[in-house]
DNA sequence: GCCGTTTTCGGCCCGACTGTTTTCAGTCG
């Protein structure tokens, strides 16, 4: 994973250079190289040894040398040199919103301010107003910015952001001046966490929309307010940016406001090479300034000779090349999903009955739900002893006998014990339709042991799916250390599926890991880990991760029909256990 | 610092808002 270390160094270098007021394009080159390295999944040592580093996008002769230098010495002299020139800690100043490199440099050089605390003291003592271009208002804004940093700019997970965005949109839709409305930004791209919420409105009366927005119950404080762009802070401390454009520009504005920034830069570069200009108002021919597109987002891409690109792909991770070559994935959609795995009920720690879950699954158009309550060692979750599991199986069999067109699968979420063995004997697992293996204990065993544990479970012929493979809970628990590449290889070799857990705090595998798993030929499954009826609808969050991982229906276990799913499970069981 | 179906040098995406400016720099997305 050397590429991540190098990416971090390049990224730091970009920040340092920015602080120094270096050439912006040089800074961007470091940022771009860092981003590309971050998503590189090959063998960096080998590419370096074969002298092919410059084949990587954004890596030229200079950065290739720096990578080689790091691979052989563990440091990059140029980064060390720049570090020595800059007072330690000042980069933290850049975290204050509204405070950029120019101001940070001014503060350090003129007032010797090196930390956010020193900055706060200086602002309170009105020492900043002695600086050129500084007056009371700027001092005030810096103090507000510090307050935001200190409160902790924690990003929301999708489970918080999505309902808030929907409530805001419902509120704004009450205004007659609003003709179209959409989410944009990282929420529309379905990133796992969201910083600020971005909303876009089409209207011919922007002032009325802005009025409604800044005076709504969601607006506790107005951060910025213009005719086309305003920002508010909600009572929960969430920043919401609203952009209003004429209906003729809605598509172009949606494209622009959805981002990512890196994707947009690429799109605009592509436009320039065709004598075109893209901004939030449309696509224009540079020479004549004639507008060629703007009302619909798809027209923006079409005018540049591209098919529409799904928002989840817009991260400058090769989607533009794929689009040009006509090789965009046919991303999985909600209607492709035929069922959900990993469902809990009152039989262990869920809050709804088998009957209620079956009804809810059927109502969502599914063919099947795998009921997977906990195994006995997970006492806190009322894990079921074998006898109780068999009672549940009998009940499910009886229910299935009475229904047509929908089936509950007899499953279990079985703990993978610390030695890699399963919490039910194989003879019991063999009675089940679907077995989910999970680690819930012993997170501190270390990477080697945890990896061995997961691989041992995958070698069990009855284990169909590994749930939440890294165990992370965003904001609560870091992922446990595990060699994912080894896990992917074992998953493919043993024909075991890996879960994209759709619970918004988990989203585990995450998008980048799921993408690597897919590239490694692993079958994935999105499951909600539902403990109540409503949570079945969290499928959409897991699908967001799958789409960000370029997953097509054929790569997702729960897009199989019931018949084909059962055959898939049986095929692994028919193979003799791997060695 | 990267990159090339105009180019190996001279470009590199584009615009809104704020504060303080009287024409713009800084910051943000």
């Amino acid at each position: 994973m050397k590429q991540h270390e190098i990416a971090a160094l390049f990224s730091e270098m970009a920040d340092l250079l920015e602080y120094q007021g270096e050439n912006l394009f040089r800074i961007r080159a470091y940022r771009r190289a860092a981003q590309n390295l971050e998503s590189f999944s090959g063998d960096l040592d080998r590419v370096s040894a074969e002298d092919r580093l410059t084949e990587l996008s954004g890596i030229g002769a200079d950065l290739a040398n720096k990578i080689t230098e790091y691979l052989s010495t563990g440091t990059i002299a140029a980064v060390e040199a720049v570090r020595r020139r800059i007072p330690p800690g000042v980069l933290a100043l850049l975290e204050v919103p509204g405070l950029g490199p120019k101001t940070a440099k001014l503060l350090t050089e003129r007032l010797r301010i090196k930390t956010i605390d020193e900055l706060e003291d200086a602002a309170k003592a009105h020492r900043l107003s002695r600086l050129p271009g500084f007056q009371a208002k700027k001092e005030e804004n810096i103090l507000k910015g510090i307050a935001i940093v200190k409160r902790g700019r924690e990003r929301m997970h999708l489970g918080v952001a999505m309902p808030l965005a929907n409530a805001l949109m419902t509120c704004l839709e009450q205004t007659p001046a609003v003709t179209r409305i959409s989410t944009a930004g990282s929420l529309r791209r379905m990133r796992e966490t969201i910083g600020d919420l971005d909303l876009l409105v089409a209207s011919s009366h922007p002032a009325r929309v802005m009025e409604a927005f800044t005076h709504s119950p969601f607006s506790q404080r107005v951060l910025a307010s213009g005719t086309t762009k305003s920002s508010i802070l909600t009572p929960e401390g969430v920043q919401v940016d609203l952009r209003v454009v004429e209906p003729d520009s809605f598509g172009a504005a949606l494209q622009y406001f959805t981002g990512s920034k890196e994707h947009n830069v690429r799109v605009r570069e592509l436009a320039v090479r065709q004598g075109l200009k893209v901004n939030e108002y449309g696509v224009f021919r540079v020479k004549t300034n004639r507008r060629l597109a703007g009302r619909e987002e798809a027209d923006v891409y079409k005018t540049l000779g591209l098919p529409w690109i799904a928002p989840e792909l817009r991260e400058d991770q090769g989607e533009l090349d794929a689009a040009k070559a006509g090789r965009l994935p046919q991303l999985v959609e909600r209607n492709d999903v035929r069922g959900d795995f990993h469902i809990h009920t009152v039989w262990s720690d869920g809050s709804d009955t088998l009957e209620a879950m079956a009804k809810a699954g059927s109502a969502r158009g599914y063919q099947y739900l795998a009921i997977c309550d906990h195994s006995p060692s997970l006492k806190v979750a009322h894990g079921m002893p074998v006898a109780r599991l068999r009672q549940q199986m009998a009940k499910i069999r009886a229910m299935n006998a009475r229904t047509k067109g929908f089936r509950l699968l007899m499953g279990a979420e079985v703990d993978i014990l610390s030695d890699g063995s399963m919490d039910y004997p194989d003879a019991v697992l063999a009675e089940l339709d679907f077995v989910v293996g999970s680690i819930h204990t012993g997170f501190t065993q270390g990477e080697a042991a945890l990896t061995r544990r997961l691989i041992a479970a995958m070698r069990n012929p009855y284990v169909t799916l590994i749930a939440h493979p890294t165990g992370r809970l965003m904001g609560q628990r870091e992922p446990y250390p595990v060699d994912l590449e080894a896990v992917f290889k074992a998953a493919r070799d043993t024909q075991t599926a890996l879960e994209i857990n759709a619970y918004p705090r988990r989203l585990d595998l995450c998008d980048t890991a799921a993408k690597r798993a897919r590239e490694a030929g692993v079958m994935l499954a999105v499951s909600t880990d539902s403990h109540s009826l409503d949570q079945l609808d969290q499928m959409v969050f897991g699908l967001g991760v799958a789409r960000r991982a370029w997953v097509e229906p054929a790569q997702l276990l729960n897009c199989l029909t019931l018949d084909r799913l059962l055959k898939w499970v049986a095929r692994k069981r028919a193979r003799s256990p791997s060695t």
Side-chain angles (χ1 to χ4, degrees):
Chain A
M1 296 287 104
K2 292 258 181 61
Q3 55 263 46
H4 300 300
E5 297 161 22
I6 300 172
L9 279 176
F10 282 177
S11 194
E12 183 190 344
M13 184 72 163
D15 290 341
L16 292 166
L17 293 175
E18 186 169 38
Y19 174 83
Q20 283 199 325
E22 258 283 354
N23 179 309
L24 288 171
F25 301 106
R26 188 173 172 224
I27 294 163
R28 189 206 284 174
Y30 275 102
R31 292 244 156 84
R32 191 171 270 183
Q35 200 199 348
N36 290 336
L37 278 174
E38 199 60 60
S39 59
F40 176 74
S41 58
D43 182 343
L44 204 60
D45 279 303
R46 200 168 79 201
V47 176
S48 170
E50 292 170 359
D51 213 12
R52 292 192 292 114
L53 283 172
T54 53
E55 288 174 22
L56 302 183
S57 169
I59 307 292
D62 181 90
L63 293 185
N65 283 336
K66 291 191 167 77
I67 293 172
T68 307
E69 179 190 351
Y70 184 85
L71 291 176
S72 59
T73 68
T75 58
I76 298 175
V79 177
E80 306 283 334
V82 180
R83 265 186 198 154
R84 277 196 295 274
R85 280 206 294 278
I86 292 177
V90 297
L91 290 183
L93 294 178
L94 298 177
E95 286 167 23
V96 178
L99 199 162
K102 294 283 194 314
T103 314
K105 196 157 190 225
L106 193 68
L107 292 168
T108 327
E109 289 179 351
R110 299 286 282 272
L111 299 178
R112 309 240 162 272
I113 288 171
K114 290 189 293 293
T115 67
I116 290 180
D117 284 333
E118 289 171 10
L119 177 61
E120 187 170 18
D121 291 343
K124 281 183 176 158
H126 304 298
R127 279 192 281 130
L128 303 187
S129 50
R130 284 190 248 136
L131 295 171
F134 261 82
Q135 289 187 20
K137 191 80 184 179
K138 259 191 177 173
E139 225 166 38
E140 207 176 294
N141 281 344
I142 283 188
L143 283 173
K144 281 183 190 168
I146 290 173
I148 289 174
V149 176
K150 291 211 161 168
R151 203 182 314 129
R153 295 226 292 178
E154 196 180 318
R155 295 172 65 89
M156 294 166 277
H157 58 74
L158 281 169
V160 174
M162 189 80 85
L164 178 57
N166 288 337
L168 265 156
M169 288 200 291
T170 304
C171 169
L172 285 175
E173 278 167 350
Q174 312 294 314
T175 310
V178 172
T179 58
R180 288 172 85 177
I181 188 165
S182 174
T183 59
S186 51
L187 177 60
R188 184 161 181 250
R189 300 202 310 280
M190 295 293 279
R191 275 196 56 176
E192 62 187 32
T193 61
I194 313 295
D196 303 337
L197 279 188
D198 296 315
L199 297 180
L200 176 69
V201 160
S203 173
S204 301
H205 305 285
R208 289 184 210 166
V209 180
M210 287 307 181
E211 167 78 11
F213 178 61
T214 53
H215 290 79
S216 77
F218 293 95
S219 173
Q220 189 176 62
R221 201 169 91 207
V222 179
L223 298 173
S225 170
T227 52
T228 68
K229 191 176 157 185
S230 294
S231 299
I232 59 164
L233 217 51
T234 70
E236 304 87 25
V238 177
Q239 183 177 332
V240 186
D241 299 335
L242 174 70
R243 193 72 196 258
V244 183
V245 296
E246 288 287 335
D248 264 356
S249 293
F250 188 77
L254 189 56
Q255 195 285 322
Y256 150 75
F257 212 20
T258 296
S260 65
K261 186 169 157 55
E262 293 75 16
H263 173 87
N264 285 354
V265 168
R266 291 293 196 195
V267 166
R268 290 166 181 199
E269 284 172 357
L270 199 63
V272 168
R273 288 203 290 277
Q274 299 176 39
L276 304 172
K277 182 178 80 168
V278 176
N279 59 29
E280 55 262 59
Y281 303 108
V283 184
F284 300 84
R285 188 161 305 286
V286 173
K287 273 187 188 162
T288 59
N289 211 31
R290 192 165 82 87
R291 185 158 82 166
L292 306 175
R295 183 172 275 265
E296 300 301 329
E297 192 179 53
D299 297 340
V300 173
Y301 287 100
K302 194 175 165 194
T303 308
L304 302 178
L306 298 172
W308 180 77
I309 299 173
E312 294 92 335
L313 300 182
R314 300 183 197 170
E315 299 289 349
D316 189 23
Q317 295 292 315
E319 71 278 8
L320 284 164
D321 287 339
K324 274 184 248 173
R327 277 201 290 273
L328 283 176
Q330 297 297 309
L331 294 181
V332 59
E333 295 184 17
R334 172 63 183 78
N335 285 339
D336 296 321
V337 176
R338 297 207 160 93
D340 194 352
F341 310 120
H342 198 164
I343 305 294
H344 296 277
T345 69
V346 289
W347 286 72
S348 64
D349 61 347
S351 51
D352 287 291
T353 61
L354 288 171
E355 289 83 354
M357 275 294 179
K359 197 172 156 202
S362 179
R364 281 163 179 76
Y366 291 156
Q367 295 182 2
Y368 49 84
L369 284 185
I371 299 298
C372 296
D373 278 306
H374 288 285
S375 62
S377 75
L378 203 63
K379 299 257 187 300
V380 298
H382 310 292
M384 301 187 296
V386 172
R388 194 162 150 74
L389 174 66
R390 288 202 168 116
Q391 283 173 18
Q392 189 192 44
M393 288 162 63
K395 173 110 196 229
I396 290 174
R397 274 197 203 94
M399 285 174 63
N400 283 336
R402 293 196 299 270
T403 39
K404 289 245 181 312
F406 177 81
R407 182 157 154 192
L408 286 185
L409 299 178
M410 300 181 294
E413 181 180 11
V414 186
D415 266 60
I416 302 168
L417 304 178
S418 57
D419 62 354
S421 65
M422 304 301 293
D423 198 21
Y424 287 126
D426 280 6
V428 174
L429 299 181
E431 298 171 35
L432 294 166
D433 296 321
F434 198 95
V435 176
V436 174
S438 301
I439 290 185
H440 288 118
T441 55
F443 299 136
T444 56
Q445 282 181 322
E447 176 172 323
L450 283 161
T451 305
R452 272 201 305 276
R453 218 168 139 189
L454 283 175
I455 292 175
M458 288 189 274
R459 286 185 176 153
N460 183 307
Y462 301 105
V463 173
T464 318
L465 173 70
I466 298 293
H468 39 73
T470 77
R472 74 162 176 180
L473 278 169
M474 279 184 260
Q476 291 170 21
R477 189 168 73 210
E478 288 295 303
Y480 47 71
V482 59
D483 178 354
L484 280 179
E485 312 309 320
V487 168
F488 297 157
K489 183 174 182 306
R492 187 195 57 209
D493 293 347
T494 61
Q495 206 195 312
T496 310
L498 296 183
E499 183 179 70
I500 295 171
N501 188 295
Y503 183 66
R505 271 194 193 281
R506 288 195 183 272
L507 297 183
D508 178 12
L509 301 171
C510 70
D511 50 7
T512 52
K515 193 174 185 191
R516 292 190 338 255
R518 181 186 58 75
E519 286 164 355
V522 174
M523 180 64 97
L524 295 163
V526 177
S527 46
T528 59
D529 202 351
S530 286
H531 287 70
S532 67
L533 299 177
D534 293 345
Q535 291 181 0
L536 288 172
D537 293 323
Q538 295 183 342
M539 176 63 70
V540 62
F541 302 134
L543 285 175
V545 175
R547 288 167 62 86
R548 289 177 60 81
W550 298 45
V551 169
E552 303 191 345
Q555 295 148 348
L556 213 54
L557 196 58
N558 39 328
C559 291
L560 296 182
T561 59
L562 175 62
D563 196 41
R564 292 186 56 196
L565 171 68
L566 294 175
K567 283 184 180 142
W568 197 87
V569 174
R571 201 155 62 229
K572 175 175 177 181
R573 296 184 178 191
R575 293 163 42 158
S576 58
S578 316
T579 49

